[in-house]
Amino acid sequence: MSDIKDLEQRISRALDRISRSVDAVRAAPPPQVSSPPSQEVEDLRAQLDAERAKTAQLTERVNAVRQRQESSFTTLERRLARMTEQLDLQSLEMLRLKKANTKLIEANRQLRDGHEAMVIEPSAINRALLAELEALRAERAADMVEIEDVLGELKPLIKTGDDHA
């Protein structure tokens, strides 16, 4: 039982201390917030506005750089696609030219063999002429692809020259 009395006394002393602290807080005047001088506030606002303007300028510059990069990237992608297409066309024309040259070599070999045997068949002459014609056509097609490549590279330069004129 004495333990309970001791606990009751301790609790009532603690409650008394809490009550006194609350009364002291209520009686104390509210803390005063000192207001900064109006000139200091104005200076701070001016600095804040200047920083906002700088931030807006930097954001605008970043957006402009980003747009230029996207534009350049798109231009480079188009140019890469065009060059890939040109390379594919050149590869096809080179294969055609190689095949035509192989036929021409074979036809010339047959003509030489016929000449050595003193018997030249008209069909061998026809095959040789057809092979030579095929080789000339393939060479012309390869030249046309090359000319298209050169013109493709010159067109942007000509356009740029017209814009500056």
Side-chain angles (χ1 to χ4, degrees):
M1 271 303 200
S2 68
D3 289 335
I4 293 176
K5 284 185 182 182
D6 286 337
L7 289 174
E8 283 179 353
Q9 287 174 357
R10 286 177 64 190
I11 289 173
S12 66
R13 282 192 301 251
L15 288 173
D16 287 340
R17 280 189 306 233
I18 291 172
S19 175
R20 282 191 302 260
S21 296
V22 168
D23 290 341
V25 168
R26 285 184 186 160
Q32 293 190 2
V33 178
S34 62
S35 61
S38 63
Q39 182 61 36
E40 186 178 341
V41 170
E42 291 302 318
D43 290 343
L44 291 174
R45 284 187 180 148
Q47 289 175 0
L48 180 62
D49 289 340
E51 289 300 318
R52 284 182 180 158
K54 286 179 185 177
T55 302
Q57 288 176 346
L58 289 175
T59 302
E60 190 175 309
R61 286 182 187 171
V62 166
N63 288 337
V65 167
R66 185 176 294 135
Q67 287 176 351
R68 277 187 300 215
Q69 284 178 337
E70 288 173 358
S71 173
S72 296
F73 184 72
T74 303
T75 302
L76 289 174
E77 279 182 329
R78 276 190 258 131
R79 188 173 179 195
L80 177 64
R82 189 181 76 235
M83 291 179 120
T84 302
E85 183 179 310
Q86 289 172 348
L87 183 61
D88 290 344
L89 285 174
Q90 283 182 344
S91 295
L92 288 173
E93 289 304 322
M94 292 311 260
L95 286 174
R96 185 174 170 210
L97 187 59
K98 192 174 185 181
K99 188 185 281 186
N101 282 336
T102 304
K103 285 181 183 179
L104 184 58
I105 290 169
E106 178 61 27
N108 285 336
R109 187 192 58 74
Q110 286 177 357
L111 281 176
R112 269 194 319 271
D113 292 345
H115 183 326
E116 288 175 5
M118 297 291 191
V119 178
I120 298 178
E121 295 180 22
S123 63
I125 294 172
N126 284 341
R127 280 194 304 274
L129 288 174
L130 287 175
E132 187 174 353
L133 186 60
E134 176 74 22
L136 288 172
R137 285 181 181 155
E139 187 175 337
R140 183 175 183 279
D143 288 344
M144 291 302 291
V145 169
E146 191 173 338
I147 288 172
E148 287 296 322
D149 291 346
V150 170
L151 288 176
E153 292 297 319
L154 289 177
K155 281 181 185 177
L157 296 174
I158 292 170
K159 226 180 244 187
T160 303
D162 288 345
D163 292 343
H164 292 296

